[in-house]
Amino acid sequence: MTLRLAAVALLFPLLCAGSAAAQPPEEKVLRMFLSTSETGLDPAVASDNATLSLLENLFDPLLRYDYLARPAKLRPNTASAMPEVSADGLTYTFRIRPGIHFTPDPAFKGVKREVTAQDYVYSIKRLYNPALKSPWAYMFEGKIEGDEVLKKHYDADTPVAGLQALDRYTLRIRLKARDNNFLFYLAVPAAGVVAREVIDAYPGQAGNHPVGTGPFMVGQWKRSDRITLLANPYSTAVFHATAGDHPEDRAIAAALEGKRLPRVDRVEVRIAEEFQGRMLGFLNAEYDYLEQIPESMTDMVVRDGQLKPELAARGIVLSRFPVLQTYYMWMNMKDPVIGGYGKDRIALRRAISLAYNNAEDIALLKKGFAIKAESPLPPNVLGYDPAYRSPVPYDPALANALLDRHGYTQRDPDGFRRSPDGQALTLTMHSEATVGGRLRDELWRKCLNAIGLRVVFKSDKKTEIIKASRLGTVQMFESNWIADFPDGDNFYQLLYGPNAGRANYARFDLPAYNQRYEAARQLSDGPARQKLYFEMNQLIHAYNPWVPLTHVLSGDLRHPWLKNYKRHPVEFTQWRYLDVDVAQRARSTRAK
């Protein structure tokens, strides 16, 4: 070999190495699903979990939750620090971090648009707009000093004494009365900042043009099928959190502290409404994690309460998480068949509650991944009383006796009870058009038939059922509520009269309950508020607008290539914190 050829031979590996180094790193993609279709991506309007999961990644409230702190704790987001609070607890002063920008949009006419305090003034005012019918308005209406002017005549330009931008980056909010949960409200997706230019540019279509400041922005969007979120190049989010003593927490904190968010380049989200499709998708590595194993699919992955060995051998991890969630079946108090406050209607609803077989639900449908709900409050929410027990147990014999006593004695030829006036009595329960929905239908049919009540089921998509529920055209529906913030107020407001038609789908409106709710929300967690919560529970059990069902123990699965995962009790997603080991994913999927 000549000297020149030898030199080239020695240089060739270095040239190859340099060429490889010049190649861009493989894109990090998080693969996820949502269990229902999204609605419009407008933070003021959306209330379903699927859409909120997207919104919390697109829009920025002033505050958000510390990723690792337990119990849940707020920390600054677009605010430079937690607010200054006046001695009387009424005035909150926030300083907005300079240099936060909205993602580009034609509405900005080519100008890079910075977030200001005035944008938060506009975004909060917008929740009062009667045309939007915001399900989040209750958090603010009547609470901010001077906000009654927006109620009388909504105009985004109307000054509100308690909602002011003192300068470009200083926001001051003054309340009429102390509210111990007010900062929690400022961390919900609905409090995310929007730009007025965008809202004005697309009248009535803001949900189709999401322009925010969050860690992600919308890429491709095929409605009710799939949506891609792209890492926002303008994001200024940096990770800070309070790590506890748990080794996993410390490892996450060490991996993320001080790093820019998000950690992946994009999130590919599919709509997967069928339980089987979600589970098979996860097992086939189409999704990186699965939260809350579908009840009907538990046997596919769990044996004797443990992850099946063949799945553990693939590095899949099973964890159990006590979700801040309550399942309940609500009944429309305005419905002509089941509603009202007369003794016969109360007896009918209580009999339905007495007929519900909680143990069978937990054992057969939830495969042991749940506990009985004694009240609206799940464990780990402020105000939860672990000693409280419902006075309405599973007791079909008592339910039958109660119906007999209150006039439901006549039977039709099929043996089903008639109303006290002798008219045919048929209950109509809406249900989701899924495998799980059909299984729940059969349990309810069995329970209600056992006390002589005929029930028919009307299946539909959950989004459609929610729309009908707000209009008051649904008689009964089994629903669930996940905490917007970790305080009992967030659950008891679901039965507060003025919230009827919004979060209060049951349209329960009882003065005795409303008065106690209003008194309780002025109090911090403690004995005085606990006493009011006890009395509110008793009123719920007396009038039975709800049948409290279960609190879920979520069985969560994740693949070994997913990094920094920790389930949060309040926030819907962890997408901004998650990382993907692309090489490990490739090795694992080849070996599968």
Side-chain angles (χ1 to χ4, degrees), residues 225-523:
D225 181 24
R226 63 187 63 210
I227 184 169
T228 300
L229 303 186
L230 306 176
N232 177 6
Y234 298 91
S235 174
T236 60
V238 174
F239 182 85
H240 298 293
T242 305
D245 295 329
H246 197 284
E248 286 188 0
D249 290 0
R250 291 200 298 270
I252 292 172
L256 289 177
E257 185 60 35
K259 291 187 177 178
R260 187 180 170 195
L261 303 175
R263 304 307 301 161
V264 296
D265 299 298
R266 58 192 168 102
V267 183
E268 293 181 350
V269 185
R270 297 184 193 175
I271 308 303
E273 296 186 340
E274 287 293 335
F275 292 148
Q276 186 174 27
R278 298 176 209 166
M279 181 61 74
L280 293 177
F282 172 81
L283 295 176
N284 290 332
E286 295 168 18
Y287 308 125
D288 294 319
Y289 68 92
L290 180 150
E291 290 181 342
Q292 207 155 319
I293 298 169
E295 299 165 2
S296 57
M297 302 284 109
T298 304
D299 291 341
M300 288 181 64
V301 293
V302 174
R303 182 183 301 137
D304 299 326
Q306 302 296 321
L307 186 68
K308 287 185 174 180
E310 58 268 32
L311 299 180
R314 289 170 50 183
I316 293 173
V317 178
L318 167 67
S319 56
R320 287 176 171 80
F321 179 78
V323 185
L324 300 187
Q325 182 178 30
T326 298
Y327 276 80
Y328 59 99
M329 194 276 285
W330 57 263
M331 293 171 272
N332 186 347
M333 297 293 286
K334 298 289 186 181
D335 183 80
V337 174
I338 206 169
Y341 296 84
K343 289 184 178 180
D344 59 330
R345 300 295 176 80
I346 293 172
L348 177 58
R349 293 192 300 271
R350 186 173 302 166
I352 291 170
S353 186
L354 288 163
Y356 166 65
N357 191 336
N358 191 287
E360 186 170 348
D361 181 356
I362 293 172
L364 299 183
L365 298 187
K366 293 195 168 61
K367 306 296 183 180
F369 283 80
I371 60 173
K372 182 179 185 296
E374 305 289 347
S375 78
L377 296 192
N380 300 317
V381 166
L382 291 173
Y384 172 74
D385 179 1
Y388 183 82
R389 293 294 178 268
S390 168
V392 185
Y394 169 58
D395 192 337
L398 181 58
N400 273 305
L402 188 65
L403 291 172
D404 289 342
R405 180 175 180 180
H406 288 275
Y408 296 88
T409 52
Q410 298 181 59
R411 303 269 183 155
D412 63 21
D414 293 326
F416 291 109
R417 295 179 184 273
R418 292 181 176 271
S419 296
D421 61 4
Q423 298 296 311
L425 173 61
T426 299
L427 304 177
T428 302
M429 183 180 289
H430 275 64
S431 67
E432 294 184 64
T434 62
V435 173
R438 289 188 286 274
L439 290 172
R440 303 206 63 77
D441 292 351
E442 290 310 308
L443 176 61
W444 275 110
R445 190 192 311 278
K446 177 181 175 182
C447 292
L448 295 176
N449 287 177
I451 60 170
L453 296 176
R454 185 199 309 271
V455 60
V456 297
F457 297 92
K458 185 174 181 180
S459 294
D460 207 339
K461 290 186 176 181
K462 189 172 184 178
T463 50
E464 296 303 313
I465 298 172
I466 289 172
K467 289 177 186 177
S469 299
R470 288 179 180 162
L471 295 172
T473 58
V474 174
Q475 184 184 95
M476 309 163 68
F477 179 53
E478 183 173 317
S479 189
N480 71 90
W481 184 264
I482 301 175
D484 299 309
F485 52 89
D487 189 87
D489 179 78
N490 191 232
F491 287 84
Y492 286 114
Q493 59 89 17
L494 298 173
L495 288 160
Y496 180 50
N499 289 340
R502 294 188 290 189
N504 180 0
Y505 295 138
R507 286 173 157 72
F508 185 56
D509 192 3
L510 185 72
Y513 182 93
N514 296 340
Q515 291 160 10
R516 286 166 173 80
Y517 171 78
E518 291 165 358
R521 68 184 320 277
Q522 301 301 319
L523 301 173

Side-chain angles (χ1 to χ4, degrees), residues 31-80:
R31 297 167 181 163
M32 277 311 307
F33 69 84
L34 296 174
S35 57
T36 59
S37 299
E38 79 290 355
T39 54
L41 296 176
D42 183 343
V45 177
S47 64
D48 60 286
N49 293 348
T51 307
L52 293 174
S53 296
L54 297 168
L55 290 174
E56 74 176 12
N57 289 284
L58 300 172
F59 294 89
D60 269 326
L62 289 160
L63 307 173
R64 64 177 306 112
Y65 288 89
D66 187 302
Y67 185 40
L68 302 178
R70 302 294 185 273
K73 182 178 77 172
L74 293 172
R75 66 175 305 115
N77 185 37
T78 55
S80 60

Side-chain angles (χ1 to χ4, degrees), residues 173-204:
I173 303 175
R174 183 165 177 82
L175 305 182
K176 297 175 182 176
R178 193 182 186 108
D179 188 329
N180 298 302
N181 291 317
F182 187 69
L183 291 182
F184 288 133
Y185 309 158
L186 296 177
V188 299
V193 66
V194 299
R196 184 170 183 174
E197 301 97 308
V198 174
I199 304 302
D200 291 344
Y202 309 105

